[in-house]
Amino acid sequence: MTIQFKKGVLELCVLSMLKQDDQYGYDVASKLSGSINVADGSIYLVLRRLKQEEYVSSYLEESSGGPPRKYYVITRKGEQFLDQLIEEWELLVDNVNSIINGTAAQNFQLVTAQNQSVEFEDNE
Amino acid sequence: MTKNEFIAVMERQLIRLPKADRDDILSDYEDHFARGMAEGKTEEQVCADIGDPDELALTYLENLPDGSKGAPYVPAQEPQQAEAPTYQPPVYGAQDAAQNAPYVQQTQPTRSFDRTTSIVIVVLLSLFIAAPVVFMLVQTVLGLFGAGIGFGVASIAFLVSGVLGTSVGVAVAIGVLLMSIGFLAFGGLFIVGGIALIKCIIIIIKWYVGECKKIIEEGRF
């Protein structure tokens, strides 16, 4: 997996997990590192990037017998972004499968790993 | 590698960042170690899984909020060079209410207004400044078109009388026909001006909508 592609997939996975449940960064990291070969530390990178984009927010929660721990939560903007990511992922999977199966149609569109929402800006 | 060594390396690499950001990042890793060890892992085991602190820190520096990548971060406030590593792990014990404040306030890109306030500002701006201005411009356009049409009609009138009035005298008839042409040209000028003004209005409106979106998204002017 290229680095860019992995980043995109990680964002998809992290957001997906947070949609199912608010959770501590540690839980996200340990669940993911079972499935995807990434350093635990890079999960916090992804969480921070998602927080900067306001797809995710965090709050401190008391934990018994210890310091308050940081809980991560998906935002509504994040859920919309997640829907978009899932759509692109499924399209990619379909297209790649049809290439593998040799059933690719004449013209298909390969979705790139970049998830950029297209915003039309008039720079006149 | 021990936990303190890991944290120390990251703190050193992240010294360029403002303290709030640095502390926020390091608290994630403190949490991680605390949870890992609470589950019975040793510091070495956690370190083995967590990744290389230099590489991790570098990636944090690459993804700065203003979108710049890898450029040396020059903080606007405190002189970072003189600051010795001062990261204090959170003190366990009495928790005051402030700890439960939404954590996100420390690290979001700065907003002068929250989302609701910025929407209110945009609505007020639109109602009391943008709308009247647009109305004025539209009225000007209507005026221009009106004048253009008026001249056009006058031009037709001159044309008709010029054609019909050849009995009065050829010179007069020609003169009137020329006036017809002149008025047509004049009227056309107004129409062209009106169209140009419409295009200007559209550009202005598009720019204004863009600015309003930015105010709402970023919460500041």
Side-chain angles (χ1 to χ4, degrees):
Chain A
M1 268 190 181
T2 69
I3 293 184
Q4 284 303 328
F5 187 69
K6 220 174 199 177
K7 274 188 191 170
V9 169
L10 273 181
E11 288 186 350
L12 167 57
C13 293
V14 167
L15 281 173
S16 198
M17 291 176 60
L18 287 180
K19 177 163 178 175
Q20 292 159 20
D21 240 333
D22 304 352
Q23 39 198 299
Y24 297 123
Y26 184 85
D27 295 320
V28 177
S30 44
K31 284 181 204 168
L32 268 181
S33 61
S35 319
I36 303 185
N37 186 22
V38 282
D40 288 354
S42 47
I43 302 299
Y44 296 102
L45 268 159
V46 173
L47 283 167
R48 182 176 177 80
R49 197 163 52 232
L50 290 173
K51 194 157 85 173
Q52 281 169 349
E53 298 288 326
E54 296 181 354
Y55 295 136
V56 147
S57 69
S58 64
Y59 59 93
L60 290 179
E61 212 198 47
E62 298 284 347
S63 76
S64 51
R69 294 266 161 76
K70 209 191 289 181
Y71 241 134
Y72 284 94
V73 153
I74 193 172
T75 64
R76 254 228 312 178
K77 193 174 168 187
E79 290 193 7
Q80 289 169 349
F81 184 58
L82 173 60
D83 289 340
Q84 187 187 320
L85 285 180
I86 291 178
E87 209 178 284
E88 290 180 11
W89 168 259
E90 290 178 341
L91 183 60
L92 176 66
V93 167
D94 280 345
N95 284 335
V96 172
N97 279 337
S98 59
I99 295 174
I100 294 173
N101 299 333
T103 57
Q106 278 296 61
N107 26 302
F108 59 86
Q109 279 173 339
L110 252 189
V111 175
T112 67
Q114 288 172 321
N115 306 310
Q116 284 174 342
S117 64
V118 177
E119 230 181 49
F120 181 74
E121 254 200 21
D122 245 349
N123 288 322
E124 297 174 317
Chain B
M1 184 177 258
T2 70
K3 174 186 112 165
N4 289 336
E5 284 171 2
F6 178 88
I7 297 285
V9 169
M10 290 220 46
E11 187 176 9
R12 197 169 53 237
Q13 292 287 23
L14 295 176
I15 202 77
R16 294 174 186 168
L17 295 182
K19 188 170 192 305
D21 289 353
R22 192 165 62 243
D23 285 353
D24 181 45
I25 293 172
L26 290 175
S27 73
D28 272 332
Y29 294 98
E30 281 282 343
D31 273 6
H32 188 89
F33 274 98
R35 277 294 299 272
M37 296 191 305
E39 294 188 350
K41 295 190 189 167
T42 66
E43 285 185 10
E44 284 73 30
Q45 280 174 317
V46 178
C47 279
D49 292 333
I50 205 171
D52 178 48
D54 286 298
E55 276 181 32
L56 288 171
L58 209 60
T59 320
Y60 280 106
L61 292 174
E62 277 177 4
N63 297 321
L64 298 173
D66 61 3
S68 63
K69 290 194 188 295
Y73 183 85
V74 180
Q77 307 123 333
E78 36 188 18
Q80 295 293 341
Q81 314 306 330
E83 197 176 299
T86 54
Y87 177 68
Q88 302 289 337
V91 174
Y92 307 163
Q95 316 292 349
D96 53 276
Q99 288 276 18
N100 290 327
Y103 211 87
V104 69
Q105 280 171 352
Q106 280 180 298
T107 56
Q108 269 188 347
T110 48
R111 290 181 72 112
S112 306
F113 326 106
D114 64 12
R115 200 178 176 85
T116 320
T117 310
S118 49
I119 290 180
V120 167
I121 289 178
V122 163
V123 166
L124 287 177
L125 265 179
S126 308
L127 272 180
F128 292 108
I129 297 185
V133 167
V134 168
F135 274 132
M136 255 173 35
L137 291 172
V138 168
Q139 281 171 343
T140 311
V141 168
L142 291 177
L144 286 173
F145 278 127
I149 293 174
F151 278 115
V153 168
S155 154
I156 294 175
F158 279 121
L159 181 66
V160 166
S161 68
V163 164
L164 291 180
T166 40
S167 58
V168 175
V170 179
V172 175
I174 291 181
V176 170
L177 284 170
L178 287 175
M179 284 190 72
S180 161
I181 296 174
F183 269 60
L184 188 65
F186 210 32
L189 196 65
F190 277 94
I191 302 276
V192 166
I195 293 176
L197 189 53
I198 288 181
K199 288 187 180 168
C200 287
I201 294 176
I202 291 177
I203 292 175
I204 290 175
I205 289 181
K206 277 188 183 167
W207 166 84
Y208 177 70
V209 168
E211 291 300 302
C212 286
K213 276 188 193 166
K214 271 200 247 172
I215 289 178
I216 292 180
E217 292 299 318
E218 296 173 16
R220 62 190 159 175
F221 289 118

